[in-house]
Structure formats: structure tokens, C-alpha cells
Amino acid sequence: MADVIKNKYDFAIIFDVENGNPNGDPDAGNMPRVDPETGNGIVTDVCLKRKIRDYVDTVKEGEDGYKIYIKSGVTLNKKDQSAFENFDIEVETDKKKMQDKIKGLKKTDPDLDLKIRDFMCQEFFDIRTFGAVMTTFVANNMNCGQVRGPVQLSFARSIDPVVPQEVTITRCAVTTESDAENKVNTMGNKFIVPYGVYIAEGYISANLARKVTGFSEDDLELLWNAIINMFEFDHAAARGKMAVRKLVIFKHSNELGNCPSYKLFDAINIQKKPDVLVARKFADYDFSVDTQLIPDEVECIIK
């Protein structure tokens, strides 16, 4: 496995959506998420991390060291138990008995928590990257239950306010025989954002990578590829056309960084062109990075 990363990174993901719903809000009938005070569109960090996980799961196909912890179809407890099995710990159905067993094992092996944490980090890419709360270990009073990952993402926010639209659609097929006697089609609706450019900010701590999860240079390269291509395996009619347009990476010269993250993000400029009234494509925006605001010790990489 490659060496653990030694540099702090900050990064910004610029992506757009055309005639789609980038992130529906279940509390609002699945309408696109919007800041009610400004009208700017919002995409949650959870939504973006889901797409990164799905990309890695697709390209690695369960390869050793690149399994995905947060994934539909397999319970988290079952994945947690794989760590117990690796250390030949028999799982007790009675919670109190299991807690007593773990307590006894930790007396003979004080490093058991660290060994289990390291095993889970080595097995699962998303734990190694984003961290996780592993309830099986938490329930058994183990310190390895909560892992803070080195990679963290913010909510994405659109550059300009968006105007979600409700589009009525019809279906020529009906569901039941009784429906067929009374109607020839059925109606429904879908919500879209006609167009919007979003930006999400991210942070990578080399300090946490070294001390906790072992996030490596190979993991970092995979993460960049996953971000750039995270919408390519996720196309759906409901999401319209989504694409990552720019990935701006700030590489610090050391583990702890050379300047505050916000100063680097302030160097990114995305503005609608003066002659554009209503933006409907990425070319309607001017994109630039003011390198004069970036310290010499920080390398700026644009993908």
C-alpha cells in the first residue's frame, strides 16, 4: 500500500445541473433543496459522499482494501462483526455478556481497540476517507466505534439563486383494469432546476490520516478521480444533466498547512458574464483563480 499522505489539502468542487434535481428534500416533497432566505440551491455533503462511494464501489468492485461501509443491502452490524471474526472473537447475542467479554479481552490486550479500528480502516475505503460511527463497537463500550476521517466536505451552494420548477408529466399506461375503464393515462410531476452552478468546499487533514485512518497517496488519487467522475455512473432522468466542471486543489507544503482554508477559497472567482441575463450553460460563467492571493508554499492544481 502507498505511503500515508504527508500534505494538507483544501479543494473546491464546481459542478452544474441542467434540467434536473441535484438533491431532493424529503421534507418538501422531494423538491430541490434551496436556502429559503437567499434562494440559492443546496446539495448536502451526504449526497456528494454517496456518489463518491458509489464510484469507488463500481471501479473497485469490492477489491480488498476498497470495500464500502455505508452501502445498501448489507447491515452495518454484519460489517462490524467481520472485525470480531478477524480477531477470533465470538459474538454474543446478549449485550451484557458481549460487553463483559470485550472488557476481559481488553485487559489481556490493551491495544484491541486500535487493532479493530485499524482493521476497519484497512478494509473499508469510506471509513479510511470519511470516517464512520460503528454502532456495534459503540454499544460494546469500545473506543474504536467513532472514527474521524481526514476528508470532510461542506454543503454545496449554487453561485446564483435557482428557481425550482414543477413539471407535470403523463403516462400512457394505467395500473389496473378498473383504471383502464375510466382513463387512458395517468399524471404525475417532477421537480427540476433549469440550470445552476454549485460549489462545494473540502478539506483533507494529513494529521488525521497519519494518526487515525492511514489515508494514503493511492487513496488520494482515487478520491480525485471519484470526484471528477462522480456523476458519470449516476445518470438518471430525475437528476438531469450533472457534471463536475472544475476541481480546484490546494496542496500545502506540510502536514498542518501554510494558511487558513478560507483564504484559498476566496481566491476562486465564479461569476455570471456581464452580458448574460439568465444562465443556461457553464460557458455563461467566468471562472478564474487569483494566484496572487495564494501563498508561495501552496500549490494550486486545477483539474
Side-chain angles (χ1 to χ4, degrees):
M1 184 173 284
D3 293 335
V4 174
I5 61 169
K6 296 180 175 61
N7 303 85
K8 178 188 174 186
Y9 291 85
D10 297 298
F11 61 94
I13 310 167
I14 294 98
F15 63 93
D16 63 353
V17 57
E18 181 181 331
N19 294 328
N21 186 349
N23 187 202
D25 185 351
D27 289 329
N30 207 44
M31 287 185 63
R33 297 180 189 271
V34 174
D35 182 333
E37 292 186 319
T38 66
N40 291 77
I42 292 173
V43 175
T44 66
D45 61 318
V46 174
C47 175
L48 297 175
K49 287 189 285 187
R50 174 76 273 147
K51 298 181 191 315
I52 293 171
R53 286 185 172 101
D54 288 346
Y55 175 87
V56 173
D57 194 35
T58 299
V59 299
K60 291 297 184 179
E61 296 243 354
E63 182 181 321
D64 287 346
Y66 293 96
K67 296 174 184 175
I68 298 299
Y69 184 70
I70 305 295
K71 178 181 176 182
S72 63
V74 183
T75 63
L76 299 181
N77 284 349
K78 187 173 181 180
K79 295 176 183 178
D80 293 344
Q81 287 177 12
S82 66
F84 288 141
E85 293 169 1
N86 182 73
F87 294 99
D88 298 321
I89 301 172
E90 186 177 348
V91 178
E92 301 283 352
T93 55
D94 183 88
K95 181 179 178 181
K96 182 66 168 61
K97 287 183 179 179
M98 189 64 189
Q99 289 178 344
D100 290 341
K101 176 181 281 190
I102 293 296
K103 189 175 181 180
L105 290 169
K106 288 171 71 173
K107 285 183 178 179
T108 58
D109 186 357
D111 294 329
L112 181 63
D113 277 314
L114 292 177
K115 289 178 180 178
I116 290 179
R117 182 200 70 187
D118 291 346
F119 172 82
M120 295 299 286
C121 288
Q122 290 166 10
E123 286 287 299
F124 297 96
F125 172 81
D126 53 338
I127 296 179
R128 198 162 60 247
T129 304
F130 304 122
V133 176
M134 295 171 278
T135 53
T136 299
F137 307 136
V138 172
N140 291 305
N141 299 325
M142 303 183 73
N143 295 327
C144 59
Q146 296 187 32
V147 175
R148 185 180 171 195
V151 180
Q152 301 297 329
L153 284 171
S154 70
F155 280 20
R157 177 178 289 271
S158 66
I159 302 300
D160 294 314
V162 297
V163 184
Q165 296 180 8
E166 182 177 4
V167 180
T168 302
I169 57 176
T170 60
R171 184 180 68 173
C172 63
V174 292
T175 305
T176 65
E177 293 296 330
S178 60
D179 285 342
E181 295 175 1
N182 301 314
K183 52 190 176 184
V184 295
N185 58 32
T186 55
M187 301 183 70
N189 57 19
K190 63 192 302 185
F191 298 104
I192 67 166
V193 170
Y195 187 76
V197 175
Y198 293 72
I199 182 169
E201 297 168 354
Y203 317 86
I204 304 179
S205 168
N207 186 259
L208 281 175
R210 174 176 59 83
K211 289 181 176 179
V212 183
T213 73
F215 185 78
S216 70
E217 295 289 347
D218 284 348
D219 294 329
L220 181 67
E221 191 60 33
L222 179 58
L223 176 67
W224 297 146
N225 289 334
I227 289 172
I228 291 169
N229 297 291
M230 64 181 173
F231 299 120
E232 294 307 306
F233 299 152
D234 191 57
H235 291 298
R239 280 183 281 280
K241 179 183 175 183
M242 296 187 68
V244 174
R245 297 293 184 167
K246 299 286 181 181
L247 173 59
V248 183
I249 302 168
F250 299 104
K251 180 180 179 180
H252 297 254
S253 65
N254 56 54
E255 183 180 281
L256 299 179
N258 304 103
C259 73
S261 302
Y262 77 89
K263 291 188 177 181
L264 301 175
F265 295 132
D266 284 349
I268 300 173
N269 297 303
I270 308 173
Q271 291 184 339
K272 194 163 54 178
K273 292 180 178 178
D275 58 339
V276 174
L277 294 179
V278 180
R280 285 295 181 265
K281 58 185 183 296
F282 190 68
D284 290 336
Y285 284 84
D286 285 321
F287 166 84
S288 64
V289 178
D290 189 348
T291 55
Q292 293 184 346
L293 299 178
I294 303 172
D296 294 337
E297 300 84 2
V298 178
E299 180 183 0
C300 180
I301 305 163
I302 302 176
K303 293 181 178 284

